[in-house]
Amino acid sequence: MIAFGEIGENELLRLSASLEKGSEHPLAEAIVQGAEEKSISLADPVNFESITGKGVRGEIEGKVIALGNAALMQDVCGKFENSTQAEDLRKEGQTAMFVAVAGKLSGIIGVSDPIKSSSGKAISSLRNLGLKVVMLTGDSKTTAAAVGNKLGIDTVVAEVLPDEKLQKVEELQKQGNVVAMAGDGINDAPALAKADVGIAMGTGTDVAMESAGVTLVKGDLNGIVKAIQLSKATMSNIKQNLFFAFFYNIVGVPVAAGLLYPFFGILLSPMIASAAMSLSSVSVISNSLRLRNVKL
């Protein structure tokens, strides 16, 4: 937290957390949590407004508070220039959010979502599976580049609005790619719905989970790797089951029809035919149960 002017850091945090306490965005939750950890009492916002791709705005105790990116500050404060302090926060992988009180820039809040220790391994595993990993984020290019370098992500596309995420998914699909999109926020919902496979984090918003076809209960990227591995094992199992089903019928039906009788005098007893059909079903079911033993 960096405060400018007369408003101190704790008061700026109180105003920001009060504004954000009704939001479902992960960054908003982090700000509210930060205030709660300092035992700061929050007020109720009035005329709350969420501005897509920019931030939020509302009134706290008669003061108009705006919290968001540089584009929002340009709208609220008029002339605005990015500060070197904000850029320093971004280089550390933090998201720098500007706070304006009564139309005046009053401070910067730096929020970082710690990279899970498992994320790097998950990205590496996805690449080993032959997948290209692309990160789409509304965050600044500096922050996105810092995170992308840490995780070894192939392509980083930063400062994108929700509709631009959707456009990027459509662009990749037009290039002949099968696209799996993972996200957790309201802004990710259109892209999740458009992707060939939408993957929502169980820790995310309800809208994201409703838009996606797959939900990862724990919100861990390794869940994507496991989902892909399980999907491949399932498809392999389906092909094996089809082989068993066709094999029994291809062999059994001609014999039952008397194909071998003119040559060898062999007819298939109805009892044997019935047992063979039962064995076919048992084979398929037994093979399917092997999926329980798939190592993920």
Side-chain angles (χ1 to χ4, degrees):
M1 167 73 72
I2 303 172
F4 306 140
E6 300 175 355
I7 301 178
E9 291 186 359
N10 283 348
E11 175 62 11
L12 198 62
L13 178 58
R14 185 183 75 86
L15 293 173
S16 301
S18 297
L19 180 65
E20 290 279 31
K21 72 177 187 177
S23 175
E24 292 183 336
H25 197 284
L27 295 179
E29 294 177 2
I31 294 172
V32 173
Q33 184 179 350
E36 290 176 345
E37 289 175 354
K38 292 187 176 183
S39 301
I40 296 176
S41 299
L42 305 182
D44 295 323
V46 179
N47 299 325
F48 178 84
E49 179 186 7
S50 177
I51 305 169
T52 302
K54 293 184 178 182
V56 293
R57 181 166 49 192
E59 293 182 28
I60 305 294
E61 299 170 347
K63 300 176 182 177
V64 177
I65 312 297
L67 175 64
N69 58 21
L72 179 61
M73 292 301 107
Q74 189 74 39
D75 297 339
V76 173
C77 304
K79 186 178 180 180
F80 173 80
E81 294 182 3
N82 258 313
S83 69
T84 55
Q85 293 161 306
E87 194 66 13
D88 289 340
L89 291 173
R90 294 180 184 126
K91 289 177 180 178
E92 296 175 2
Q94 297 187 46
T95 299
M97 294 181 288
F98 300 96
V99 186
V101 179
K104 182 180 179 181
L105 181 64
S106 300
I108 305 172
I109 296 179
V111 180
S112 63
D113 185 7
I115 299 175
K116 294 181 180 178
S117 57
S118 60
S119 296
K121 181 181 178 182
I123 297 297
S124 178
S125 296
L126 289 172
R127 296 177 68 179
N128 290 336
L129 288 171
L131 302 179
K132 180 180 180 181
V133 181
V134 179
M135 183 171 76
L136 299 178
T137 177
D139 219 327
S140 70
K141 293 180 180 178
T142 304
T143 302
V147 174
N149 288 334
K150 288 181 182 178
L151 295 177
I153 294 176
D154 300 311
T155 304
V156 176
V157 183
E159 298 179 359
V160 293
L161 297 174
D163 58 333
E164 291 174 330
K165 289 184 180 181
L166 174 60
Q167 291 172 8
K168 184 62 177 179
V169 170
E170 292 176 337
E171 177 187 328
L172 291 170
Q173 289 175 328
K174 288 178 181 178
Q175 293 173 359
N177 298 297
V178 176
V179 180
M181 168 74 184
D184 61 359
I186 295 174
N187 293 339
D188 296 322
L192 287 171
K194 179 62 180 177
D196 297 286
V197 181
I199 305 172
M201 302 300 171
T203 53
T205 61
D206 292 338
V207 174
M209 287 185 277
E210 290 173 4
S211 302
V214 178
T215 298
L216 304 181
V217 178
K218 295 182 179 180
D220 188 340
L221 289 181
N222 275 313
I224 300 176
V225 180
K226 293 178 180 179
I228 293 173
Q229 291 173 332
L230 183 58
S231 297
K232 289 186 175 183
T234 300
M235 289 304 300
S236 177
N237 196 279
I238 290 172
K239 293 176 182 178
Q240 293 165 3
N241 288 342
L242 287 173
F243 169 78
F244 286 131
F246 282 114
F247 175 78
Y248 280 109
N249 283 282
I250 290 173
V251 173
V253 171
V255 175
L259 180 65
L260 300 180
Y261 184 76
F263 307 101
F264 306 103
I266 298 175
L267 286 174
L268 190 62
S269 166
M271 293 296 291
I272 297 177
S274 176
M277 289 303 295
S278 298
L279 184 59
S280 171
S281 299
V282 171
S283 299
V284 169
I285 293 172
S286 299
N287 190 51
S288 298
L289 291 175
R290 290 192 309 110
L291 287 173
R292 297 182 302 175
N293 301 321
V294 173
K295 293 183 179 180
L296 300 176

